[in-house]
Amino acid sequence: MYEECGIFGIYPKDLKTNIAQLSYLGLLALQHRGQESAGIAVGSRKNILIYRDLGLVAEVFKKDILSTLNGDIAIGHVRYSPKDSNSWENSQPILQQFAGGSFALAFNGNVINKSELSSVLARCGKNFNGSLTDSRLICRLIEATKEKDLEKAVQKAVKQIKGAFCLVILSEDKLIGLRDAHGFHPLVLGKIKDGYVLASEDSAFSIIEAQYIREVQPGEMVIIEKNDFKTKQVFPSTRKSLCIFEYVYFARPDSNVFGENVAEIRERIGARLAIEQPANADIVISVPDSGRFAALGYAHQAGITYQEGLMKNPYISRTFIQPDQALREYSVKIKLSAITSIVAGKRIVMVDDSIVRGTTSRKLVKLLKRSGAKEVHVRISSPPVNFPCQYGTNTPDREELWTNRFSIEKLRQWIEADSLSYISLEGLTGVFQKNKPADFCTACFCGRYPL
Ligand code: AMP
């Protein structure tokens, strides 16, 4: 079950700080990573308290709830669930007993050897009713180690897992952060007052005035205790497989992911796209917000004016949240509208980050043409998504991925664009300064799965 999510953890040593409120702010800054459910767990010497529910962070946490969440350490979670798995039971963090007491856990990623691990647990006498989410599975694996020491229990458990995972775990006196050996998804470490913060992205740091320290390294576990900060390499550092889709779509532009700023990378991708796939046009527009920085880069490189030709209703959450195709099509219309006076009579380059099912591009080309656009040239700042992600990003099955079934020309006809083209994989992986092309997982584009 794919769980592309946002995770957060905080252990300040100044106990006057209201950690539930800081976690709330951190989660607000990670909201783009998941809008289905939100939760915060707080730990103190006495107990662990968790509050989680379906909805956006601001809907779930009212002032009176935050004020009841008192403790010394906190973790938080926002969840982006796949179709049909949006239920309260699947929200996080979750609480688990183990030989040494109890802990709460929040997870981002996807376990690929889940059925194998479930059978191992079943053989230990642990049977489950219904499906087991990846996060629950990891909790049960930790419990099944029978270790009293949480660090040792976590290490033993995660060594059995194949897949992509970032974890934050709290006990009554410890905060643990961990990233899988390949480092598919980001997890960063920051400093606040005398303590530390962990988050999927550092956009969660600036909001609480925490300072970025560094990334948690692939395979590294960080353990934050009251008077101590330790780090352990749990997995040997093998080949990195950084998720390139974090840059294409998922992460926030102001975040620094895998050491490089997302907005800058998107602008460079856009510039590269303009070199590879030029178009004769009067203006460049973006599909807001996902295509904005790539469109800016494209316009700058091509020497064509950038304009905001489409307007997004900021109160409608992401398209993919709609459970079926009929509703999804409707939601594109309520989410985006054209600014007629800008687009009418123009030859337009419309830049978006990706085409998955093609619904968004098809609706937008129609909308622009109905608003008087003379030509619409669609430019995509990632290569065709041909393969489903196995490591956490919510992508449909192969049959639903357009470019897997049809040619680009067929897709162009279906979306009724005057031209359609994508950046090449080499172009995309070539724009980075700190990471080499081989450091990335590009399985959704090329089908070479690192695990
Ligand atoms: P589609 O309409 O199915 O072709 O989806 C493409 C649109 O969805 C683009 O505007 C993307 O910004 C956005 N998108 C791409 N990947 C995802 C994802 N994993 N979850 C939600 N939205 C996505």
Side-chain angles (χ1 to χ4, degrees):
M1 187 175 293
Y2 301 119
E3 299 191 49
E4 177 65 283
C5 306
I7 58 175
F8 181 83
I10 183 163
Y11 195 170
K13 288 181 188 163
D14 165 13
L15 295 182
K16 287 193 285 292
T17 318
N18 183 323
I19 50 165
Q21 264 166 22
L22 292 179
S23 306
Y24 169 81
L25 294 175
L27 290 183
L28 280 179
L30 296 174
Q31 185 76 83
H32 60 287
R33 297 187 73 86
Q35 300 92 37
E36 273 89 348
S37 67
I40 295 175
V42 290
S44 69
R45 298 262 162 215
K46 284 180 265 155
N47 54 18
I48 296 174
L49 294 173
I50 300 185
Y51 189 85
R52 55 194 169 101
D53 207 349
L54 298 179
L56 299 172
V57 178
E59 293 163 354
V60 171
F61 291 102
K62 301 286 181 249
K63 215 171 165 188
D64 52 333
I65 289 165
L66 284 176
S67 61
T68 61
L69 290 171
N70 294 312
D72 309 326
I73 320 169
I75 59 170
H77 189 265
V78 283
R79 180 162 194 264
Y80 192 132
S81 65
K83 205 163 121 179
D84 303 333
S85 82
N86 190 20
S87 66
W88 184 87
E89 286 70 29
N90 292 345
S91 62
Q92 301 182 39
I94 47 180
L95 185 68
Q96 177 70 48
Q97 306 301 316
F98 78 116
S102 40
F103 66 88
L105 173 144
F107 159 85
N108 169 32
N110 186 46
V111 175
I112 56 178
N113 60 337
K114 191 167 154 178
S115 52
E116 184 192 311
L117 292 173
S118 302
S119 341
V120 171
L121 287 174
R123 281 201 294 281
C124 305
K126 300 196 185 305
N127 285 311
F128 316 108
N129 297 325
S131 74
L132 197 62
T133 58
D134 290 0
S135 40
R136 269 218 190 274
L137 174 81
I138 300 171
C139 283
R140 299 289 172 83
L141 288 173
I142 296 173
E143 181 203 13
T145 63
K146 301 208 167 68
E147 274 286 349
K148 285 200 170 129
D149 180 294
L150 183 60
E151 280 169 52
K152 285 192 189 141
V154 171
Q155 281 184 63
K156 273 194 183 168
V158 295
K159 282 186 176 153
Q160 304 167 60
I161 302 171
K162 271 200 208 124
F165 52 92
C166 284
L167 294 170
V168 284
I169 300 171
L170 70 71
S171 65
E172 280 93 352
D173 59 359
K174 238 179 235 187
L175 170 65
I176 295 177
L178 194 139
R179 204 165 154 216
D180 68 74
H182 291 259
F184 282 96
H185 297 292
L187 185 65
V188 285
L189 177 70
K191 185 138 193 59
I192 183 162
K193 302 230 169 92
D194 286 332
Y196 294 94
V197 204
L198 291 162
S200 297
E201 293 176 36
D202 62 345
S203 53
F205 291 170
S206 41
I207 192 169
I208 56 168
E209 295 182 348
Q211 274 84 49
Y212 176 89
I213 302 179
R214 64 172 175 85
E215 272 192 89
V216 174
Q217 293 304 314
E220 186 189 16
M221 171 157 113
V222 296
I223 306 111
I224 300 155
E225 285 178 279
K226 196 151 183 50
N227 298 308
D228 198 13
F229 168 87
K230 290 190 293 193
T231 144
K232 275 187 194 163
Q233 196 64 36
V234 176
F235 303 101
S237 50
T238 45
R239 211 194 109 206
K240 281 197 259 180
S241 301
L242 313 173
C243 168
I244 204 157
F245 218 73
E246 290 278 350
Y247 289 107
V248 169
Y249 172 75
F250 219 71
R252 231 169 86 147
D254 57 339
S255 290
N256 296 288
V257 168
F258 313 136
E260 304 195 53
N261 174 258
V262 174
E264 271 181 36
I265 292 294
R266 286 186 187 159
E267 281 201 27
R268 272 189 240 148
I269 298 171
R272 176 80 217 171
L273 179 62
I275 295 168
E276 288 187 10
Q277 304 293 347
N280 285 326
D282 305 309
I283 57 170
V284 173
I285 66 166
S286 71
V287 176
D289 297 308
S290 53
R292 183 166 287 127
F293 288 93
L296 278 165
Y298 190 105
H300 205 238
Q301 176 66 41
I304 305 173
T305 309
Y306 173 83
Q307 284 199 279
E308 294 280 348
L310 291 166
M311 207 202 77
K312 187 173 179 180
N313 182 337
Y315 307 103
I316 313 289
S317 36
R318 285 185 179 182
T319 327
F320 272 50
I321 294 160
Q322 306 302 335
D324 59 36
Q325 187 67 14
L327 272 177
R328 203 176 293 122
E329 296 210 3
Y330 179 67
S331 74
V332 172
K333 273 188 220 145
I334 57 170
K335 201 168 85 169
L336 292 158
S337 48
I339 302 172
T340 307
S341 60
I342 290 179
V343 302
K346 306 268 174 53
R347 294 170 306 158
I348 295 170
V349 170
M350 180 182 83
V351 181
D352 200 4
D353 68 288
S354 56
I355 291 183
V356 182
R357 296 177 178 87
T359 320
T360 309
S361 302
R362 182 174 150 91
K363 292 282 162 199
L364 291 180
V365 172
K366 269 215 179 93
L367 189 65
L368 290 169
K369 292 252 167 118
R370 235 185 289 128
S371 305
K374 223 193 308 172
E375 291 170 18
V376 181
H377 302 275
V378 178
R379 293 291 176 272
I380 304 295
S381 63
S382 64
V385 177
N386 278 330
F387 300 89
C389 176
Q390 293 187 357
Y391 311 117
T393 302
N394 184 16
T395 35
D397 298 335
R398 277 202 86 182
E399 304 70 55
E400 275 185 83
L401 292 167
W402 242 101
T403 42
N404 171 52
R405 290 162 59 208
F406 304 107
S407 65
I408 292 176
E409 173 52 19
K410 198 115 192 119
L411 175 57
R412 184 201 66 75
Q413 288 169 18
W414 188 69
I415 66 173
E416 294 175 38
D418 294 278
S419 73
L420 163 68
S421 44
Y422 294 77
I423 194 169
S424 66
L425 186 55
E426 298 67 41
L428 174 65
T429 55
V431 302
F432 298 88
Q433 280 170 350
K434 300 209 175 116
N435 298 297
K436 300 186 292 295
D439 291 337
F440 290 104
C441 172
T442 54
C444 52
F445 305 128
C446 67
R448 279 192 299 277
Y449 292 93
L451 290 175

